[in-house]
Amino acid sequence: MARPGFVLEVDDKTPPLMTPAGAELRLERLGIGTRVVYPADAVASSDPTALIESALTAPLNAQSLASRIRPGTKLTLVIADDDPPFPRPQFDPRRTLVERVLESAARAGVDDVELVVANGLRQRWSPAQITSVLGDRVATSFLPDGLITSHDVTSEDLVTIGEVDGAPVQLNRRVAESDLVVVIGLASALTAQCPVAGGLTDLATINRMYGAHAAPGASAAVEDLVARHVDAFSLVAVLGQPLLGPAMRFVSKREWEWNLGDKLSYAGARQIVAAMPRNGASLVHNALSADYAIIDVVAGDPTAVRRDASRVWQAANAVEVAGAADVLVTPVWGAAIEEGPIGSPLDAAHHALVTAAGSHLGSPFVREGGVLIGFHPLPNKFSNRRQSAAADFFAKVLPASTDPAEIAAEFEPKAIADDWYLDLYRKQFAHHPLRVYHQWYRTAEAARNLSNVIWVGGDRRSAALLGHRAASTYADALEIASDVVGNEPAITFLRGPGLALGDVR
């Protein structure tokens, strides 16, 4: 049983606390009275077979999977591709879930089986990525015959399943025409998004659900339409916190519990990153992986599964934080960002404002009108192949405007019609150009509730383009914030490299 997370109040005996900032790991001494939110301890994984069997045998609000498949069933496995947990799993639990469903299908005599990745606006999966996530056994059995595909939001081969507010909703043809769809996913944070509605519909529908002008209730209406049209069964593994390898185990440990080996590992990690060029540091960070314990496996009706998986995750991982702070401090570790040497400014801002600050359950971590302080260098670095649209957004769109409504009207239509971006999306495994726009809309919406966002060690021009401020040191950032929050603000520090946290008040 893992120790639960807790809130530490810094006193004069508290040691300096680890504060990731891009590729750098540093120790920062925080002010007395600062509340530091530690996640639950990570534990090693164990064989999930019993949890999977139990979930499939007694699913929520549904018949067992074995009773729903028989010879002649047109079966499709949908692989949910939400934001992946960080660090990446050493062994992706979706592989085990997929293999278990395929074994059931084989025993039932089902021979019409395909797998579809519900990637939405995210990059389509390459054969190497498919093999990495699903394993050689599944890849070699299905890839050569084209039976594993990634969804294309721009495809002309989509099926209209109905309308929402007078607009057609199109769905992946294979999924729409299947007798049974089994949705395979992970719960590594709190999420209520339907992977089929958000990951397998057409571009216009996704934009109506999550774009700058998304109508209230649009997402729920599309999810309801999809639920009526698709006979779906969900199978979700709920994950604990990441357990890093021995060389980086100190990252997840509480600083006053570091032993001599942990201190040497920390010093070594700093020296390695400092001695390498940024691209080398990227290789070190992006190669990081972690072991994840599977807390539970939940199966059955998709809506019930999403609800119960969130509850299980909350019970195991959430931390009670009393009241909203004046200042929220959140480091952004470089490896928490999927592209670029140590993460692009857009990724860093989204991670801090949406992923970290937005992970609360009850009242927000920071009060309205408060200040967020992030640790990240905000380098103007983007992947030429996978982030071409994001690089242009940062260089050409943000200098003209940071307002989501203006950006959506003036720049978004050109981007989603750009042949070069679309070619990269379809052939080079790049993100769809609309993804960076949606990312910015959510980031800008979160920033509107704050009086200031300040980046410690951040590039000043990058911060200015985001509409934020930069500071050389943490002390300088607090001085800038004092104009709004005074000289003795209540401060909450989210300790952890991108670990999801929650306020359960």
Side-chain angles (χ1 to χ4, degrees):
M1 176 69 70
R3 288 187 300 176
F6 76 108
V7 178
L8 167 76
E9 184 168 321
V10 173
D11 58 26
D12 56 2
K13 296 181 181 180
T14 304
L17 303 185
M18 198 194 68
T19 309
E24 181 184 358
L25 296 175
R26 63 172 73 173
L27 291 175
E28 189 79 42
R29 188 169 292 281
L30 305 179
I32 293 176
T34 299
R35 296 181 303 181
V36 184
V37 186
Y38 281 86
D41 277 358
V43 296
S45 62
S46 57
D47 187 353
T49 300
L51 292 175
I52 297 173
E53 291 299 327
S54 176
L56 293 176
T57 303
L60 299 171
N61 301 343
Q63 297 178 328
S64 67
L65 179 64
S67 69
R68 301 179 67 176
I69 52 178
R70 57 188 59 86
T73 298
K74 188 173 185 177
L75 175 65
T76 298
L77 277 64
V78 168
I79 314 302
D81 183 31
D82 301 322
D83 288 333
F86 164 74
R88 62 180 177 82
Q90 293 172 353
F91 181 91
D92 197 302
R94 287 173 292 186
R95 179 187 309 184
T96 303
L97 302 182
V98 166
E99 289 178 347
R100 181 62 187 83
V101 173
L102 292 176
E103 290 168 1
S104 296
R107 285 197 296 268
V110 177
D111 56 13
D112 187 356
V113 182
E114 291 190 22
L115 288 78
V116 178
V117 180
N119 45 277
L121 300 178
R122 297 178 61 84
Q123 65 190 77
R124 304 171 75 200
W125 286 16
S126 66
Q129 187 175 4
I130 290 172
T131 304
S132 174
V133 174
L134 302 181
D136 290 331
R137 180 183 174 190
V138 173
T140 55
S141 298
F142 289 86
L143 263 180
D145 298 319
L147 299 180
I148 303 180
T149 57
S150 289
H151 181 63
D152 182 350
V153 296
T154 65
S155 173
E156 296 180 357
D157 189 31
L158 302 178
V159 177
T160 300
I161 61 172
E163 293 185 351
V164 170
D165 295 330
V169 175
Q170 295 182 304
L171 187 66
N172 181 281
R173 178 176 291 277
R174 171 69 194 193
V175 172
E177 295 178 350
S178 294
D179 297 320
L180 178 64
V181 173
V182 179
V183 181
I184 307 292
L186 301 176
S188 58
L190 294 169
T191 178
Q193 180 174 317
C194 171
V196 176
L200 294 174
T201 49
D202 61 288
L203 183 67
T205 297
I206 292 175
N207 210 9
R208 288 193 296 272
M209 294 170 67
Y210 308 117
H213 303 296
S219 179
V222 173
E223 291 180 12
D224 183 63
L225 177 63
V226 168
R228 294 198 305 269
H229 191 88
V230 177
D231 186 10
F233 182 97
S234 284
L235 183 61
V236 172
V238 184
L239 305 184
Q241 298 292 342
L243 182 65
L244 290 162
M248 297 294 289
R249 188 69 52 84
F250 68 90
V251 172
S252 300
K253 296 176 68 173
R254 296 156 189 180
E255 289 82 357
W256 56 91
E257 296 178 347
W258 284 9
N259 56 34
L260 179 59
D262 295 323
K263 294 176 182 177
L264 291 175
S265 295
Y266 166 76
R270 280 181 55 87
Q271 290 175 357
I272 290 173
V273 171
M276 300 181 74
R278 283 186 172 180
N279 286 341
S282 172
L283 294 177
V284 172
H285 283 280
N286 291 339
L288 285 175
S289 61
D291 182 27
Y292 285 84
I294 298 179
I295 299 170
D296 199 1
V297 177
V298 188
D301 172 73
T303 301
V305 167
R306 292 201 304 276
R307 181 193 64 232
D308 276 43
S310 288
R311 289 175 177 172
V312 171
W313 185 92
Q314 175 184 335
N317 295 293
V319 180
E320 184 173 359
V321 181
D326 300 311
V327 177
L328 178 68
V329 183
T330 176
V332 179
W333 198 11
I337 310 304
E338 63 179 352
E339 303 285 0
I342 51 176
S344 78
L346 294 170
D347 288 327
H350 182 270
H351 180 88
L353 287 157
V354 179
T355 304
S359 65
H360 61 86
L361 299 173
S363 61
F365 289 122
V366 59
R367 66 172 173 81
E368 187 171 354
V371 174
L372 183 141
I373 297 177
F375 282 78
H376 196 274
L378 304 181
N380 189 354
K381 297 285 186 179
F382 295 85
S383 166
N384 291 333
R385 178 165 62 90
R386 294 186 176 178
Q387 289 190 308
S388 181
D392 288 344
F393 181 92
F394 191 70
K396 300 176 182 179
V397 176
L398 289 185
S401 176
T402 59
D403 179 64
E406 186 176 342
I407 290 174
E410 180 66 23
F411 298 98
E412 181 188 297
K414 299 174 185 177
I416 62 179
D418 188 287
D419 290 336
W420 171 244
Y421 296 154
L422 295 178
D423 188 70
L424 291 174
Y425 167 71
R426 293 170 179 146
K427 301 177 182 179
Q428 299 296 324
F429 306 108
H431 299 299
H432 190 279
L434 184 59
R435 180 176 182 268
V436 68
Y437 286 80
H438 283 192
Q439 184 184 56
W440 177 252
Y441 300 153
R442 292 190 291 272
T443 302
E445 180 182 5
R448 275 199 297 267
N449 296 320
L450 302 168
S451 62
N452 215 337
V453 178
I454 307 166
W455 292 96
V456 177
D459 178 85
R460 294 188 181 279
R461 183 176 183 278
S462 294
L465 285 176
L466 295 169
H468 304 164
R469 299 281 299 277
S472 299
T473 66
Y474 178 56
D476 290 342
L478 288 177
E479 185 174 348
I480 295 172
S482 67
D483 291 341
V484 175
V485 299
N487 294 321
E488 296 183 357
I491 303 174
T492 295
F493 180 94
L494 300 185
R495 166 66 167 82
L499 307 183
L501 302 158
D503 176 3
V504 296
R505 289 180 66 248

